[in-house]
Amino acid sequence: MKILLVEDEPGVASFIKKGLEEQQHEVQLAYDGETALQLLEGTAWDMIILDVILPHLSGLDVCRIIREKLHLATPVLMLTALGSTDNIVKGLETGADDYLVKPFKFKELLARIKALVRRHDGETVPSRQLVFADVELDLHKKTVVRAGRPIVLTSREFLLLEYFMRNPNRVISRTEILENVWEINFDLGSNVIDVYISYLRNKMDRGFTRKLIHTKVGMGYIMQSS
């Protein structure tokens, strides 16, 4: 697998690069965001590992450019020493697929990479569209429409809605959402899930009389039309 590693700390960069190359991955290293963007032009990558704190151009800015200007769908794993909910959400909102808080064990990094590649390359869907109540979700175009009104979602919100629509009228626990939407084990003390449910509910239910996403106190969440 061809991996672009963007990390400005020489020790950390060397540790990750050596470990990945021992796993038979091809790794190109960039020490700053501007160099990373240059390497992204005209070259296809299977994975981008991106530190948040970089000289000149932050990892958040680089990720935003990757998604909004370069329009690349390449999986992005963000590395950060900032583990608060707000910082995690900021990273995911710029288009990152996952985050890993420093310091971390190398086997955890490998597990995250494998999960992202599996999701990106191995995703198969039985049908092009999911429909629930007045909501239509197009899995190919990555679009959502409710009652004829387009709903703009981030990539993580889209995955969350997709999981709800594949499991309608059933209470889904926070743990189940973590395991199936993120495919990794987050700290259950974090309220990242609650933040994203709030984002999704605000976009999907605001302005509509019938609410679809409900909270079951002490149990989780459910998507139902009544």
Side-chain angles (χ1 to χ4, degrees), residues 18-25 106 110 114:
K18 181 179 179 181
L20 291 176
E21 288 177 339
E22 289 177 351
Q23 296 293 318
Q24 307 305 311
H25 297 301
F106 186 72
L110 286 180
K114 289 178 181 178

Side-chain angles (χ1 to χ4, degrees), residues 7 50-53 78-84 87-88 99-104:
E7 169 61 65
L50 179 63
D51 190 24
V52 171
I53 301 176
M78 194 162 278
L79 306 180
T80 176
L82 309 172
S84 72
N87 287 309
I88 292 167
Y99 79 94
L100 188 57
V101 177
K102 297 178 180 178
F104 53 82

Side-chain angles (χ1 to χ4, degrees), residues 12-44:
V12 176
S14 177
F15 163 72
I16 295 175
K17 187 174 187 293
K18 181 179 179 181
L20 291 176
E21 288 177 339
E22 289 177 351
Q23 296 293 318
Q24 307 305 311
H25 297 301
E26 179 184 346
V27 182
Q28 175 70 53
L29 180 60
Y31 288 104
D32 60 75
E34 293 176 349
T35 301
L37 292 175
Q38 292 173 6
L39 290 171
L40 283 166
E41 293 183 6
T43 302

Side-chain angles (χ1 to χ4, degrees), residues 28-164:
Q28 175 70 53
L29 180 60
Y31 288 104
D32 60 75
E34 293 176 349
T35 301
L37 292 175
Q38 292 173 6
L39 290 171
L40 283 166
E41 293 183 6
T43 302
W45 301 91
D46 299 304
M47 169 76 60
I48 301 169
I49 300 176
L50 179 63
D51 190 24
V52 171
I53 301 176
L54 296 169
H56 311 304
L57 197 63
S58 76
L60 296 177
D61 290 330
V62 172
C63 191
R64 188 176 293 109
I65 291 171
I66 288 171
R67 298 303 191 218
E68 297 179 3
K69 293 186 178 180
L70 301 181
H71 303 293
L72 298 176
T74 309
V76 174
L77 172 59
M78 194 162 278
L79 306 180
T80 176
L82 309 172
S84 72
T85 297
D86 287 344
N87 287 309
I88 292 167
V89 170
K90 282 181 181 177
L92 296 173
E93 284 298 290
T94 62
D97 296 280
D98 194 6
Y99 79 94
L100 188 57
V101 177
K102 297 178 180 178
F104 53 82
K105 294 181 179 179
F106 186 72
K107 64 180 181 180
E108 184 177 6
L109 174 66
L110 286 180
R112 300 293 181 91
I113 290 173
K114 289 178 181 178
L116 286 179
V117 171
R118 183 171 63 249
R119 182 192 309 159
H120 188 262
D121 293 338
E123 184 181 61
T124 58
V125 294
S127 62
R128 181 178 180 181
Q129 287 191 328
L130 297 177
V131 178
F132 179 79
D134 56 356
V135 179
E136 297 179 10
L137 182 149
D138 191 307
L139 293 157
H140 289 185
K141 296 180 180 178
K142 303 299 183 185
T143 57
V144 176
V145 175
R146 181 170 184 189
R149 179 195 302 176
I151 306 292
V152 179
L153 301 179
T154 65
S155 59
R156 189 65 58 177
E157 292 164 353
F158 185 92
L159 289 171
L160 183 57
L161 177 63
E162 178 185 346
Y163 193 72
F164 273 121

